[in-house]
Amino acid sequence: MPTYKAPLEDMRFVLHELFDSTSRAVLPGNTDFSRDLIDSILDHASRLTEDVLFPLNQQGDLEGCVLENGRVRTPSGFKKAYKIFCDGGWTAMSASPDWGGQAVPISVAMMVDEMLCSSNVAFALYPGLSRGAYVALSHVGGENLKEIYLPNLVSGKWSATMCLTEAHCGTDLGMLRTRAVPKEDGSYGISGDKIFISAGEHDLTENIIHLVLARLPDAPAGVRGISMFLVPKFLPKKDGTPGPRNGVQCTALEHKMGIHGSATCTMNFDNATGWLLGEPNKGLAGMFTMMNVERVAVGMQGLGIAEVAYQNAVLYARERLQGRSLRGPKAPTKPADPIIVHPDIRRMLLTMRAYIEGCRAVACWVGNELEVLQKSDDIDAKLMAEDFSALMTPVVKALFTDLGFEIASLAVQVYGGHGYIRDHGVEQFLRDARISMLYEGTNGVQALDLVTRKLPHDRGRLLSRFFGPVVGFIEQQSQNRVLEPFLPQLRRAVEHLQSATSFIAENAPSNHDEAGAASAEYLRLFGLVALAFVWTRMASISAPRIEEPGHRGKFYRAKMRTAQFFMDRLLPQTGALLAAIQSGSKIMMEFEDTAF
Amino acid sequence: MPTYKAPLEDMRFVLHELFDSTSRAVLPGNTDFSRDLIDSILDHASRLTEDVLFPLNQQGDLEGCVLENGRVRTPSGFKKAYKIFCDGGWTAMSASPDWGGQAVPISVAMMVDEMLCSSNVAFALYPGLSRGAYVALSHVGGENLKEIYLPNLVSGKWSATMCLTEAHCGTDLGMLRTRAVPKEDGSYGISGDKIFISAGEHDLTENIIHLVLARLPDAPAGVRGISMFLVPKFLPKKDGTPGPRNGVQCTALEHKMGIHGSATCTMNFDNATGWLLGEPNKGLAGMFTMMNVERVAVGMQGLGIAEVAYQNAVLYARERLQGRSLRGPKAPTKPADPIIVHPDIRRMLLTMRAYIEGCRAVACWVGNELEVLQKSDDIDAKLMAEDFSALMTPVVKALFTDLGFEIASLAVQVYGGHGYIRDHGVEQFLRDARISMLYEGTNGVQALDLVTRKLPHDRGRLLSRFFGPVVGFIEQQSQNRVLEPFLPQLRRAVEHLQSATSFIAENAPSNHDEAGAASAEYLRLFGLVALAFVWTRMASISAPRIEEPGHRGKFYRAKMRTAQFFMDRLLPQTGALLAAIQSGSKIMMEFEDTAF
């Protein structure tokens, strides 16, 4: 049976020590969020995830969801857990107090998100989608719609979906066919079929609100003719309670590789009543406010699964007795040594650890900037934060999920043959992690977004929000002797990223395929540099504290060694990535299509 | 629905053009195996795998195996397919004519193996284990046992298993507890429990022969006290037909991530009658003759699944319309371009292709040397072939299976969200591929075998069998102008491998952990150099033929471009691997155990 314990110590480290938490505390609305309150939120979240959600994770995978007569039954225990989740106020965590929310600092909410995804990513998807819908609705919805729907989404009484994908179009929404026909009363009749709708139908809430992309009769072709509509499962009565059934049905559930506890629905809209959200034909912009929230959240899924996979691999490596240390028995009274004595097992565990703690630090960095963007009243700071978070969104989504999958696979490897057996629960992490590289824009789409939109924007303005602090830190710390084992490697990796950026900037304008050809490697290179930066920062903070007595000293020593491991073992990939990027697009593009 | 078409053209290329096929033809016993006969074997295998086995693959995954009253029911169609398999003589392919076999050249048999694993790896495991047992039995079995069992294994009438693993020991067989008590008639009573026994029980054959590792009463502790026994499910009668039931039972089936069609059994031996194979307490040596055959076969599983995953990704990339080329519409009459126009899709497809065709060439190289080892009467040639195949066995096993999994994951990625849905069949490839990195010795164990046994053996004698031909080729071709885009990169990668080898040779003797710490990266580095070598050779053969008319010219042009892609995009990893190796074991070993 797998286990999970929320990594509170490391979360507190990144939240309170790694970044300047005072700058978060002074933001408007944040005065109440003292260190004590934040720690208390984390503690409560750890109990929820360890005691309520994680125990349902394996059973949820086994049972999956069942569709019967148009109704979807979620796995045993999900309903009760969802009630506990709502009663605890977790659906309200990120929302504005105007609508009953708590407006918890985003970096803190992201740590809670990580715990949710570690403990039960299939469950987390139900309230998860509501949050994105909340953001979209509060941005573009009319006041009357907000007043009916937002409080119910925030309380968790109702949940929401994003209905974008159709069978023939996912990435390329310009092709979508769902139609919206205006009715006399100002509402619209929505008709069409959507696929891959997470939480499209389930038994957790009394109503489900679909945000649907569709075309108006006079809409121009392509992405400029897409509008967004709000379509509830039950049409609210005057008093705001659910009324008559609307014309929307779940017609099928997908059978998937993983996240079996999450209902992935095919939805049919048959002249369903909906209301326009935002302006006609500008639905994609509204949906993207939702999508960006989701993309960061999906990144946290990768991190969350990586963490629980790592924890179980560590426990197994400590318990499993097999073979002897290459340098002679370490546990001579036992029939064999625990496999944690073997260097290759340690290599795997440290690889997992170095990526996980690095990603957690990057998450906190991005969360802090999103917080400035949301709450600051300093226009310049907001603009910079907007640039930075726009730049980092595809990186967080793709890097964290690629690594989440790699880490889950390493965990299986630590278990050996036992990792392939369902009972141990570790192969579930691998299956559950795989989806995160695909949905909310495949990781290839993220890389393309980074390279073709974020990079060239305003001559690299977004990029400067990243290079600025990194290069500044390197300069500022150049005389810091404790960083001697780190700074040269960080500097070299930054140079690799700069060279790769120049290569793209020089070649892509005359041949757009150069951007596409470089994109996947560029995103990984970018991500590694971001990790190297946060690891060097973590080392700078930890170095003076390694002699602290007891557990704290051990914590900081582990940080120093993991930092070194990252620099020595993982960061050298940047050179190979740069070489691949610099080889250009020619070879791949001139390969004859029919020769594949 | 997934599809499969055996890659016969590329198989013929590696078998007949890449390596000197005359040297194979002149080996004793091979005179009949003309090019025509070999091509005919491949053709027959393609029909078997495309028409009989592949259509059962997806359904087999869905149904899995069922245990009822001690009997295991294989998925629908497996029984009929197994009969066709035996009738076609495929169980006899690799066996000696002395026992009814065909002694097909090993490189050819490996290509057939690849097809079997592409089409239905779960099915392929049933006859697959028999082949390893055939090898062990023919090496160490007494004549009376051989006469009863070998013809039945060769005809496929009976099948076999390898019973090594117990719940508390897999890698570390020294701890095994199954006991063997001598009886008066010269047989033994075998008692104990074994787990993870592939094909331990099923409904395909009239008898199942278990090769079981167990301890004699007076056996020394550890690996020097393990003996091997032959334990049939039904004790043969005097006339050789199956007689009374023996004391061996399947008590459970494992629920696994994949290969659902393969019965992975827990086997209980309750004073079952068995016969000693080979000498007492020397069972591990006998088992390893079997294990080495299996390790190469498992490598081919990785390659086989990679091939079918690649083929489906290509088809999907040609059919799926989504978005437009970054350089303007390529299919203006369609609503969108096929995704094969996108550089990042091509990057994924070419990565898959470059690894697959490279591995196939390495497989043929190893197969040719195994063939010399088996059939040559030239003692020196045999010794060299033995060295080479011993060196390459862990590389083939670990490299091919690591890449097989990576490639299956890339195929899922090409499919986008649809890749995560069971119907498309591509996620099954990912699940089925994952086991190959674990069984027959985890890939970590392979890497350790390479670095701690194969590398230092007789001062690097085995290694010289690899470096010899590679360095010789580089020197011999140094003036070959068509190889100008390849040789410098190959040379550089060889230098990286040499540096890594020196690092290990210098540091491991005084600290064995240095070998373990370097092992995984060293194996990958070694594998990349082997791939670079075969790619350069393939380029040298293809370059003069790219202008050939029609399809042949296209084939050779594709080879040249894939070779270039491998050199430019994938080979640069060697630098990063070398850097990781040279960072040594210190950081990982001094990380405090309790700090993980």
Side-chain angles (χ1 to χ4, degrees):
Chain A
M1 287 282 287
T3 59
Y4 173 65
K5 198 114 192 59
L8 296 179
E9 187 172 23
D10 198 53
M11 289 177 168
R12 288 193 296 260
F13 171 77
V14 298
L15 285 171
H16 305 312
E17 295 182 62
L18 180 59
F19 296 97
D20 178 14
S21 54
T22 10
S23 63
R24 182 175 58 225
V26 299
L27 288 173
N30 276 1
T31 39
D32 285 350
F33 290 102
S34 64
R35 184 169 172 154
D36 279 353
L37 178 57
I38 288 171
D39 289 350
S40 162
I41 294 170
L42 295 179
D43 280 339
H44 277 86
S46 74
R47 288 201 288 278
L48 171 79
T49 53
E50 293 169 10
D51 303 340
V52 178
L53 300 182
F54 188 68
L56 302 176
N57 191 41
Q58 206 174 3
Q59 185 61 27
D61 178 61
L62 215 62
E63 281 184 37
C65 293
V66 181
L67 174 68
E68 275 170 359
N69 307 320
R71 289 158 189 265
V72 169
R73 197 169 65 237
T74 55
S76 311
F78 273 39
K79 221 166 158 171
K80 193 172 160 200
Y82 185 76
K83 192 177 175 323
I84 297 171
F85 191 87
C86 295
D87 290 349
W90 298 106
T91 51
M93 186 168 55
S94 304
S96 157
D98 297 346
W99 304 108
Q102 297 156 6
V104 168
I106 292 178
S107 53
V108 179
M110 284 170 76
M111 298 298 132
V112 175
D113 248 19
E114 186 204 305
M115 295 186 221
L116 295 174
C117 296
S118 286
S119 63
N120 199 327
V121 72
F123 176 89
L125 284 168
Y126 292 99
L129 271 292
S130 299
R131 201 171 36 181
Y134 166 86
V135 172
L137 192 50
S138 57
H139 267 71
V140 299
E143 284 308 313
N144 56 336
L145 291 175
K146 288 190 198 178
E147 273 165 30
I148 300 170
Y149 292 96
L150 286 182
N152 283 316
L153 288 179
V154 172
S155 69
K157 220 167 166 184
W158 298 359
S159 72
T161 75
M162 286 168 72
C163 296
L164 285 74
T165 305
E166 300 179 7
H168 64 289
C169 69
T171 302
D172 187 358
L173 292 169
M175 294 195 285
L176 71 79
R177 294 177 192 149
T178 298
R179 302 173 313 282
V181 181
K183 297 185 188 179
E184 288 192 357
D185 66 354
S187 70
Y188 294 81
I190 314 288
S191 299
D193 289 289
K194 296 285 182 178
I195 64 165
F196 298 170
I197 308 307
S198 296
E201 177 62 43
H202 58 79
D203 54 6
L204 303 181
T205 57
E206 61 173 39
N207 204 358
I208 300 172
I209 313 311
H210 306 284
L211 300 201
V212 185
L213 293 188
R215 290 190 181 285
L216 291 166
D218 57 349
V223 290
R224 286 157 201 271
I226 297 174
S227 306
M228 181 160 57
F229 298 88
L230 183 155
V231 182
K233 177 178 168 187
F234 293 101
L235 296 163
K237 290 187 286 197
K238 285 248 164 96
D239 66 358
T241 60
R245 189 74 161 81
N246 201 356
V248 47
Q249 295 284 347
C250 170
T251 53
L253 286 181
E254 299 289 355
H255 298 281
K256 310 182 299 291
M257 182 183 197
I259 54 165
H260 294 158
S262 167
T264 306
C265 305
T266 301
M267 302 300 296
N268 172 260
F269 295 85
D270 182 13
N271 197 24
T273 300
W275 290 272
L276 185 67
L277 286 177
E279 292 177 51
N281 303 328
K282 297 208 169 150
L284 224 49
M287 195 56 95
F288 264 92
T289 60
M290 181 166 180
M291 184 72 98
N292 281 331
V293 172
E294 292 302 328
R295 285 182 171 173
V296 172
V298 171
M300 297 309 286
Q301 290 176 19
L303 175 57
I305 295 180
E307 171 67 30
V308 69
Y310 166 75
Q311 290 187 15
N312 283 279
V314 168
L315 290 175
Y316 191 79
R318 284 204 186 107
E319 283 167 14
R320 177 75 172 170
L321 305 178
Q322 207 78 182
R324 290 294 184 188
S325 160
L326 293 164
R327 305 185 69 179
K330 288 275 179 2
T333 60
K334 291 184 177 163
D337 288 338
I339 60 173
I340 204 167
V341 304
H342 303 306
D344 193 55
I345 297 287
R346 301 172 83 85
R347 173 191 66 81
M348 292 193 276
L349 295 179
L350 280 166
T351 300
M352 298 161 90
R353 186 181 179 91
Y355 282 138
I356 287 167
E357 294 184 1
C359 286
R360 189 174 291 128
V362 170
C364 186
W365 183 14
V366 173
N368 285 341
E369 295 295 319
L370 285 168
E371 183 75 355
V372 170
L373 173 59
Q374 181 167 297
K375 292 185 184 164
S376 178
D377 43 22
D378 173 342
I379 298 285
D380 289 341
K382 271 176 107 85
L383 274 177
M384 283 178 68
E386 187 171 21
D387 284 355
F388 180 78
S389 51
L391 178 71
M392 295 301 285
T393 296
V395 178
V396 167
K397 197 281 182 180
L399 179 76
F400 289 20
T401 60
D402 278 350
L403 293 179
F405 181 69
E406 289 174 31
I407 288 166
S409 186
L410 283 174
V412 168
Q413 200 64 23
V414 169
Y415 273 76
H418 293 271
Y420 201 66
I421 305 301
R422 288 205 146 192
D423 303 350
H424 291 281
V426 72
E427 61 87 37
Q428 183 190 344
F429 301 140
L430 183 59
R431 287 184 291 105
D432 284 356
R434 190 62 186 80
I435 185 62
S436 61
M437 299 156 72
L438 300 167
Y439 59 15
E440 313 304 348
T442 65
N443 286 0
V445 168
Q446 306 301 323
L448 211 59
D449 175 44
L450 177 64
V451 169
T452 63
R453 290 211 193 93
K454 306 298 166 65
L455 225 60
H457 187 78
D458 194 17
R459 298 190 202 167
R461 193 186 79 211
L462 274 53
L463 203 60
S464 70
R465 309 302 189 199
F466 175 80
F467 277 119
V470 173
V471 172
F473 176 81
I474 293 174
E475 280 171 16
Q476 176 204 334
Q477 298 285 325
S478 63
Q479 302 304 317
N480 184 347
R481 290 209 41 201
V482 301
L483 293 188
E484 269 173 21
F486 305 99
L487 281 181
Q489 284 118 304
L490 174 61
R491 200 175 283 121
R492 187 139 173 267
V494 170
E495 285 163 11
H496 287 160
L497 183 59
Q498 284 165 330
S499 300
T501 310
S502 303
F503 179 87
I504 296 170
E506 280 161 27
N507 293 286
S510 60
N511 177 1
H512 294 336
D513 280 338
E514 290 294 341
S519 59
E521 282 94 348
Y522 186 84
L523 188 145
R524 177 60 70 102
L525 172 53
F526 193 109
L528 286 169
V529 172
L531 293 172
F533 170 62
V534 293
W535 267 119
T536 310
R537 287 208 46 185
M538 290 195 275
S540 74
I541 288 168
S542 302
R545 303 180 192 171
I546 56 173
E547 303 294 347
E548 285 186 14
H551 184 73
R552 289 308 290 167
K554 189 161 85 174
F555 177 85
Y556 293 115
R557 287 195 297 280
K559 275 276 176 241
M560 293 303 289
R561 284 168 183 152
T562 313
Q564 193 70 60
F565 180 89
F566 178 83
M567 294 291 171
D568 290 352
R569 287 260 160 187
L570 304 176
L571 192 57
Q573 295 168 61
T574 56
L577 292 165
L578 175 61
I581 290 167
Q582 289 176 332
S583 74
S585 70
K586 187 161 169 281
I587 279 292
M588 23 181 149
M589 298 319 290
E590 72 183 13
F591 195 92
E592 293 165 75
D593 284 9
T594 54
F596 273 109
Chain B
M1 287 278 290
T3 61
Y4 173 64
K5 198 117 192 56
L8 296 179
E9 186 172 25
D10 199 52
M11 290 178 168
R12 289 193 297 260
F13 171 77
V14 297
L15 285 169
H16 304 313
E17 295 183 62
L18 181 59
F19 296 97
D20 177 15
S21 55
T22 13
S23 63
R24 181 176 60 226
V26 300
L27 289 174
N30 275 1
T31 40
D32 285 351
F33 290 103
S34 63
R35 183 169 172 154
D36 279 353
L37 179 57
I38 288 172
D39 289 350
S40 163
I41 294 170
L42 296 178
D43 279 339
H44 277 87
S46 73
R47 287 200 289 277
L48 172 80
T49 52
E50 292 169 10
D51 301 342
V52 179
L53 300 182
F54 187 69
L56 303 175
N57 190 44
Q58 206 174 4
Q59 184 61 24
D61 178 62
L62 215 62
E63 281 185 37
C65 293
V66 181
L67 174 68
E68 274 171 359
N69 306 320
R71 288 157 190 264
V72 169
R73 197 171 64 238
T74 55
S76 310
F78 272 39
K79 223 167 161 171
K80 195 173 158 198
Y82 186 75
K83 193 178 173 322
I84 297 171
F85 191 86
C86 295
D87 290 348
W90 298 105
T91 51
M93 186 168 56
S94 305
S96 158
D98 298 346
W99 304 108
Q102 298 158 5
V104 167
I106 292 177
S107 52
V108 179
M110 283 168 76
M111 297 300 132
V112 176
D113 249 18
E114 185 204 304
M115 295 186 222
L116 294 174
C117 296
S118 287
S119 62
N120 199 326
V121 72
F123 176 90
L125 284 168
Y126 292 98
L129 271 295
S130 299
R131 202 168 40 179
Y134 166 88
V135 171
L137 191 51
S138 57
H139 267 74
V140 300
E143 284 307 313
N144 56 337
L145 291 176
K146 286 190 198 178
E147 275 165 27
I148 300 170
Y149 292 96
L150 287 183
N152 283 316
L153 286 180
V154 172
S155 70
K157 223 167 162 183
W158 299 358
S159 73
T161 75
M162 289 169 71
C163 295
L164 285 74
T165 306
E166 300 179 6
H168 64 291
C169 70
T171 303
D172 188 358
L173 292 168
M175 294 196 283
L176 69 82
R177 293 177 190 149
T178 299
R179 302 173 313 283
V181 181
K183 297 185 184 176
E184 288 191 356
D185 66 354
S187 70
Y188 294 80
I190 314 289
S191 299
D193 290 290
K194 296 284 182 179
I195 64 165
F196 298 169
I197 309 306
S198 295
E201 177 61 41
H202 58 78
D203 54 7
L204 304 181
T205 57
E206 61 173 40
N207 204 357
I208 300 171
I209 314 307
H210 305 284
L211 299 200
V212 186
L213 293 187
R215 290 189 181 286
L216 291 166
D218 56 351
V223 291
R224 286 155 203 273
I226 297 174
S227 305
M228 179 160 58
F229 299 88
L230 183 155
V231 182
K233 175 177 168 187
F234 293 102
L235 296 163
K237 289 188 287 198
K238 285 250 164 90
D239 65 359
T241 61
R245 191 73 161 80
N246 200 357
V248 47
Q249 296 284 348
C250 171
T251 53
L253 287 182
E254 300 287 355
H255 298 281
K256 309 184 298 292
M257 183 184 196
I259 54 165
H260 295 157
S262 168
T264 306
C265 303
T266 301
M267 302 299 297
N268 171 259
F269 295 85
D270 182 11
N271 196 27
T273 300
W275 289 272
L276 185 67
L277 286 177
E279 292 177 49
N281 302 329
K282 296 205 169 153
L284 224 50
M287 195 55 96
F288 264 92
T289 60
M290 181 165 181
M291 185 71 98
N292 281 330
V293 171
E294 293 301 328
R295 286 182 171 175
V296 172
V298 171
M300 297 309 286
Q301 290 176 19
L303 175 56
I305 295 179
E307 171 67 30
V308 69
Y310 166 73
Q311 289 187 16
N312 283 279
V314 168
L315 290 176
Y316 191 79
R318 283 205 187 107
E319 282 167 15
R320 177 75 172 171
L321 304 178
Q322 208 79 181
R324 289 293 183 189
S325 160
L326 292 165
R327 304 184 71 181
K330 287 276 184 346
T333 59
K334 291 180 178 166
D337 287 337
I339 60 173
I340 204 167
V341 304
H342 302 308
D344 194 55
I345 297 287
R346 301 172 83 85
R347 174 191 65 81
M348 293 194 273
L349 296 179
L350 281 166
T351 300
M352 299 161 90
R353 185 179 181 92
Y355 280 139
I356 287 168
E357 294 185 1
C359 286
R360 190 173 290 129
V362 170
C364 187
W365 183 15
V366 173
N368 285 339
E369 295 295 319
L370 285 168
E371 182 76 353
V372 169
L373 173 60
Q374 181 168 298
K375 291 186 183 164
S376 176
D377 42 22
D378 174 342
I379 298 285
D380 289 341
K382 272 174 105 85
L383 275 176
M384 283 177 68
E386 187 170 21
D387 284 356
F388 180 78
S389 50
L391 177 72
M392 295 301 285
T393 296
V395 177
V396 167
K397 198 281 182 179
L399 179 75
F400 288 21
T401 61
D402 278 350
L403 293 179
F405 180 70
E406 289 175 31
I407 288 165
S409 186
L410 284 175
V412 168
Q413 200 65 24
V414 169
Y415 274 76
H418 293 271
Y420 201 67
I421 305 301
R422 290 204 145 193
D423 303 350
H424 291 281
V426 71
E427 61 86 38
Q428 183 191 344
F429 302 139
L430 183 59
R431 288 185 290 103
D432 285 355
R434 190 62 187 78
I435 184 62
S436 61
M437 299 157 71
L438 300 166
Y439 59 15
E440 313 304 346
T442 64
N443 286 359
V445 167
Q446 306 301 323
L448 211 59
D449 176 44
L450 177 65
V451 168
T452 62
R453 292 211 191 95
K454 306 298 165 66
L455 225 59
H457 187 76
D458 194 16
R459 297 190 203 165
R461 193 186 76 208
L462 273 54
L463 204 60
S464 70
R465 310 302 190 199
F466 175 80
F467 277 120
V470 173
V471 173
F473 176 81
I474 293 174
E475 281 171 14
Q476 178 204 330
Q477 300 285 326
S478 62
Q479 302 305 316
N480 184 347
R481 291 206 44 200
V482 299
L483 293 188
E484 268 173 22
F486 305 99
L487 282 180
Q489 284 118 306
L490 173 61
R491 199 176 283 124
R492 186 136 177 268
V494 170
E495 285 164 10
H496 287 159
L497 182 59
Q498 284 165 332
S499 300
T501 310
S502 305
F503 180 86
I504 296 170
E506 278 161 28
N507 293 285
S510 60
N511 177 0
H512 293 337
D513 280 338
E514 290 294 341
S519 59
E521 281 95 348
Y522 185 84
L523 189 144
R524 178 59 71 101
L525 172 53
F526 192 110
L528 286 170
V529 173
L531 293 172
F533 171 62
V534 295
W535 268 119
T536 311
R537 287 208 47 186
M538 290 195 276
S540 73
I541 289 168
S542 302
R545 302 180 192 172
I546 56 172
E547 303 294 348
E548 284 186 16
H551 185 71
R552 291 307 292 166
K554 190 162 85 174
F555 177 85
Y556 293 115
R557 286 194 298 279
K559 276 275 177 243
M560 293 303 291
R561 283 166 183 153
T562 313
Q564 193 70 59
F565 181 88
F566 179 82
M567 294 292 171
D568 290 352
R569 286 262 162 185
L570 305 176
L571 191 58
Q573 295 169 62
T574 57
L577 293 164
L578 174 62
I581 290 167
Q582 288 176 334
S583 74
S585 70
K586 187 161 170 280
I587 279 292
M588 21 180 150
M589 299 319 290
E590 73 182 15
F591 195 91
E592 293 165 74
D593 284 9
T594 53
F596 274 109

